[in-house]
Short mmCIF file of all heavy atoms in Angstrom, two decimals:
data_model
loop_
_atom_site.label_atom_id
_atom_site.label_comp_id
_atom_site.label_asym_id
_atom_site.label_seq_id
_atom_site.Cartn_x
_atom_site.Cartn_y
_atom_site.Cartn_z
N THR A 44 -11.37 -22.19 88.62
CA THR A 44 -11.72 -21.09 89.48
C THR A 44 -11.04 -21.41 90.89
O THR A 44 -10.80 -22.54 91.30
CB THR A 44 -13.16 -20.90 89.66
OG1 THR A 44 -13.76 -22.07 90.20
CG2 THR A 44 -13.83 -20.60 88.41
N ARG A 45 -10.82 -20.33 91.56
CA ARG A 45 -10.27 -20.49 92.94
C ARG A 45 -10.88 -19.36 93.76
O ARG A 45 -10.61 -18.10 93.44
CB ARG A 45 -8.77 -20.52 92.99
CG ARG A 45 -8.28 -20.71 94.39
CD ARG A 45 -6.73 -20.93 94.40
NE ARG A 45 -6.22 -21.19 95.74
CZ ARG A 45 -5.44 -20.36 96.43
NH1 ARG A 45 -4.99 -19.33 95.80
NH2 ARG A 45 -5.16 -20.68 97.56
N TYR A 46 -11.71 -19.74 94.74
CA TYR A 46 -12.25 -18.64 95.67
C TYR A 46 -11.64 -18.85 96.99
O TYR A 46 -11.65 -19.93 97.57
CB TYR A 46 -13.79 -18.70 95.74
CG TYR A 46 -14.35 -17.78 96.74
CD1 TYR A 46 -14.33 -16.44 96.54
CD2 TYR A 46 -14.76 -18.22 98.05
CE1 TYR A 46 -14.89 -15.53 97.51
CE2 TYR A 46 -15.36 -17.31 98.90
CZ TYR A 46 -15.36 -16.00 98.73
OH TYR A 46 -15.84 -15.13 99.62
N VAL A 47 -11.06 -17.85 97.65
CA VAL A 47 -10.47 -17.88 99.05
C VAL A 47 -11.23 -16.79 99.76
O VAL A 47 -11.24 -15.67 99.51
CB VAL A 47 -9.00 -17.50 98.93
CG1 VAL A 47 -8.45 -17.58 100.43
CG2 VAL A 47 -8.17 -18.55 98.10
N ALA A 48 -11.92 -17.36 100.86
CA ALA A 48 -12.70 -16.36 101.66
C ALA A 48 -11.76 -15.49 102.46
O ALA A 48 -10.74 -15.92 102.92
CB ALA A 48 -13.59 -17.23 102.55
N PRO A 49 -12.25 -14.27 102.73
CA PRO A 49 -11.41 -13.33 103.50
C PRO A 49 -11.45 -13.76 104.96
O PRO A 49 -12.32 -14.48 105.41
CB PRO A 49 -12.07 -11.99 103.36
CG PRO A 49 -13.40 -12.29 102.95
CD PRO A 49 -13.46 -13.63 102.22
N THR A 50 -10.38 -13.36 105.69
CA THR A 50 -10.45 -13.55 107.20
C THR A 50 -10.26 -12.21 107.88
O THR A 50 -10.20 -11.14 107.16
CB THR A 50 -9.12 -14.32 107.47
OG1 THR A 50 -7.94 -13.67 107.22
CG2 THR A 50 -9.11 -15.75 106.77
N ALA A 51 -10.28 -12.26 109.18
CA ALA A 51 -10.26 -11.01 109.96
C ALA A 51 -8.84 -10.28 109.62
O ALA A 51 -8.81 -8.99 109.77
CB ALA A 51 -10.27 -11.32 111.42
N SER A 52 -7.88 -11.02 109.22
CA SER A 52 -6.51 -10.47 109.05
C SER A 52 -6.01 -10.24 107.65
O SER A 52 -5.10 -9.67 107.32
CB SER A 52 -5.48 -11.29 109.82
OG SER A 52 -5.46 -12.58 109.27
N ALA A 53 -6.90 -10.77 106.67
CA ALA A 53 -6.56 -10.74 105.22
C ALA A 53 -7.66 -10.78 104.25
O ALA A 53 -8.67 -11.41 104.58
CB ALA A 53 -5.55 -11.90 104.90
N ASP A 54 -7.57 -9.98 103.20
CA ASP A 54 -8.59 -10.04 102.17
C ASP A 54 -8.54 -11.45 101.53
O ASP A 54 -7.55 -12.12 101.54
CB ASP A 54 -8.34 -9.02 101.06
CG ASP A 54 -8.71 -7.57 101.52
OD1 ASP A 54 -9.32 -7.33 102.57
OD2 ASP A 54 -8.14 -6.62 100.88
N GLY A 55 -9.73 -11.73 100.96
CA GLY A 55 -9.78 -13.01 100.20
C GLY A 55 -9.65 -12.72 98.77
O GLY A 55 -9.27 -11.56 98.42
N SER A 56 -9.83 -13.68 97.95
CA SER A 56 -9.74 -13.41 96.48
C SER A 56 -10.51 -14.39 95.61
O SER A 56 -10.88 -15.44 96.09
CB SER A 56 -8.28 -13.48 96.02
OG SER A 56 -7.72 -14.81 96.20
N PHE A 57 -10.72 -14.02 94.42
CA PHE A 57 -11.34 -14.88 93.40
C PHE A 57 -10.42 -14.95 92.15
O PHE A 57 -10.07 -13.85 91.78
CB PHE A 57 -12.69 -14.37 93.01
CG PHE A 57 -13.21 -15.12 91.81
CD1 PHE A 57 -13.66 -16.44 91.79
CD2 PHE A 57 -13.26 -14.53 90.51
CE1 PHE A 57 -14.12 -17.07 90.70
CE2 PHE A 57 -13.65 -15.14 89.40
CZ PHE A 57 -14.09 -16.40 89.49
N THR A 58 -10.13 -16.11 91.60
CA THR A 58 -9.28 -16.13 90.51
C THR A 58 -9.95 -17.15 89.47
O THR A 58 -10.30 -18.24 89.84
CB THR A 58 -7.84 -16.70 90.80
OG1 THR A 58 -7.33 -15.79 91.73
CG2 THR A 58 -6.89 -16.67 89.53
N TYR A 59 -9.95 -16.68 88.21
CA TYR A 59 -10.44 -17.52 87.11
C TYR A 59 -9.25 -17.57 86.04
O TYR A 59 -8.81 -16.46 85.72
CB TYR A 59 -11.77 -17.02 86.43
CG TYR A 59 -12.09 -17.68 85.23
CD1 TYR A 59 -12.65 -19.08 85.35
CD2 TYR A 59 -12.13 -17.08 84.02
CE1 TYR A 59 -13.05 -19.73 84.15
CE2 TYR A 59 -12.49 -17.87 82.75
CZ TYR A 59 -12.84 -19.21 82.79
OH TYR A 59 -13.32 -19.78 81.89
#
Side-chain angles (χ1 to χ4, degrees):
T44 61
R45 182 168 182 245
Y46 175 74
V47 176
T50 64
S52 60
D54 286 341
S56 64
F57 166 76
T58 302
Y59 172 68

